Amino acid sequence: MGNNGRVTRSASARAPRLDQVCAAAVEVAREAITEVDPADVGDHLQTLAEGDRLVTHYFECRLAGYRGWRWAVTVTRVPRSRAVTVCETVLLPGPDALLAPGWLPWQERLQPGDLGPGDLLPSPPDDDRLQPGYLLSDDPAVEETAWELGLGRARVMSREGRGEAAQRWYDGDHGPTAPIATAAPVTARCGTCGFYLPLAGALCQSFGACGNLFAPDDGRVVSADHGCGAHSEILVEPPETPVEELPTVYDDSAVEAVSVREADGLAEVAEVTEVADAAAEVVEVAESNGQP
């Protein structure tokens, strides 16, 4: 049998022709909107041909909270008839309509911190973050505990679960990019702090718990390259403040001015001093000439 090729051909896509009788039935379509008050139906916006003798009229929606929505009323008629029949009335969102967020299952809607006191959050059996405790977890601490206790815990964290947790902690508020860590001195890293308590298992190389009462991360898991100003070995040197020298101030109001005049006895003392000086010069000259 030879190849006969394609025995069917695709029908040509033809745009439906707008029926003028249905398009003119604007008021009929408006009166068909009975779910709300007539004041909530606005202006006629558009007429769209859906098929042969099948037309949809769009009206503005003025309901509170439905910004950008439109009333859609579809009408039709039988061939060679001028009577228009309403098919359906529905409220549809327009291109710029205000829409509610898309529905998500509760597992995807749940965010960290949503669990409160008394709430129960069961883990699904196929949770990728967990695996049976009798399987090798690539974590020496977990495998050692499971060996000592038989099977140990029913499920332990898988490699994927530990990786997700480590990445979440590292990128969060307790990692190296946190504002408190970037503002701390370069040497004030948690890995060198005396209050740093390393975790057990495979995460001990990168994470630990803060045990400093005065640190903002006390009791929380922090990365080894996280840091803050409460580091155990940080030293604060007091800044050197120069001492300002104050100018000397004299209080003239506490000084009593006393007039001094030359006394009579001072003149006599001056004459005696002059005679003594002259006699000393004569003695020096005589001694220089060899005379006693």
Side-chain angles (χ1 to χ4, degrees):
M1 178 180 295
N3 185 6
N4 294 329
R6 298 184 60 181
V7 295
T8 59
R9 60 180 180 179
S10 59
S12 60
R14 181 177 62 88
R17 185 169 56 90
L18 182 65
D19 186 83
Q20 297 302 322
V21 177
C22 293
V26 176
E27 294 304 322
V28 175
R30 182 186 295 273
E31 294 176 357
I33 306 175
T34 59
E35 294 88 348
V36 295
D37 189 86
D40 295 328
V41 182
D43 300 333
H44 184 264
L45 300 177
Q46 184 183 9
T47 301
L48 182 63
E50 304 287 355
D52 294 338
R53 297 179 299 278
L54 189 65
V55 176
T56 299
H57 294 272
Y58 292 94
F59 299 89
E60 179 187 4
C61 178
R62 295 179 178 176
L63 286 173
Y66 286 85
R67 186 184 65 191
W69 288 66
R70 304 180 298 176
W71 292 102
V73 182
T74 303
V75 297
T76 187
R77 69 182 180 90
V78 297
R80 295 184 297 275
S81 174
R82 309 288 296 183
V84 176
T85 303
V86 177
C87 296
E88 63 177 355
T89 303
V90 66
L91 183 61
L92 298 176
D96 301 328
L98 180 63
L99 301 176
W103 181 85
L104 292 174
W106 69 269
Q107 297 93 333
E108 300 180 17
R109 296 198 306 268
L110 193 64
Q111 298 295 325
D114 290 346
L115 190 68
D119 296 338
L120 299 178
L121 180 62
S123 299
D126 57 348
D127 196 331
D128 294 335
R129 300 171 301 170
L130 299 172
Q131 66 182 14
Y134 57 81
L135 297 178
L136 294 179
S137 62
D138 297 329
D139 193 333
V142 174
E143 294 175 4
E144 182 179 355
T145 304
W147 174 262
E148 293 178 355
L149 302 180
L151 295 181
R153 291 173 288 172
R155 289 191 294 177
V156 296
M157 290 192 71
S158 61
R159 178 187 297 179
E160 181 179 353
R162 293 198 311 273
E164 291 179 0
Q167 192 65 46
R168 184 173 62 254
W169 295 344
Y170 197 79
D171 297 337
D173 296 335
H174 311 296
T177 58
I180 192 171
T182 56
V186 179
T187 57
R189 300 298 99 182
C190 292
T192 58
C193 181
F195 299 106
Y196 180 74
L197 305 172
L199 294 183
L203 297 179
C204 67
Q205 299 179 357
S206 302
F207 297 96
C210 177
N212 190 349
L213 172 63
F214 303 102
D217 299 318
D218 180 38
R220 296 180 174 88
V221 175
V222 294
S223 65
D225 49 0
H226 184 67
C228 71
H231 194 276
S232 62
E233 308 306 324
I234 196 168
L235 298 177
V236 179
E237 297 181 359
E240 296 182 0
T241 305
V243 179
E244 298 182 359
E245 296 182 1
L246 298 178
T248 303
V249 178
Y250 297 97
D251 189 359
D252 295 339
S253 62
V255 178
E256 182 181 0
V258 178
S259 57
V260 179
R261 65 182 184 84
E262 186 175 358
D264 297 339
L266 295 178
E268 297 178 357
V269 173
E271 292 178 358
V272 173
T273 303
E274 292 178 359
V275 172
D277 293 340
E281 291 179 358
V282 172
V283 172
E284 290 179 359
V285 170
E287 290 178 352
S288 60
N289 294 330
Q291 299 177 358

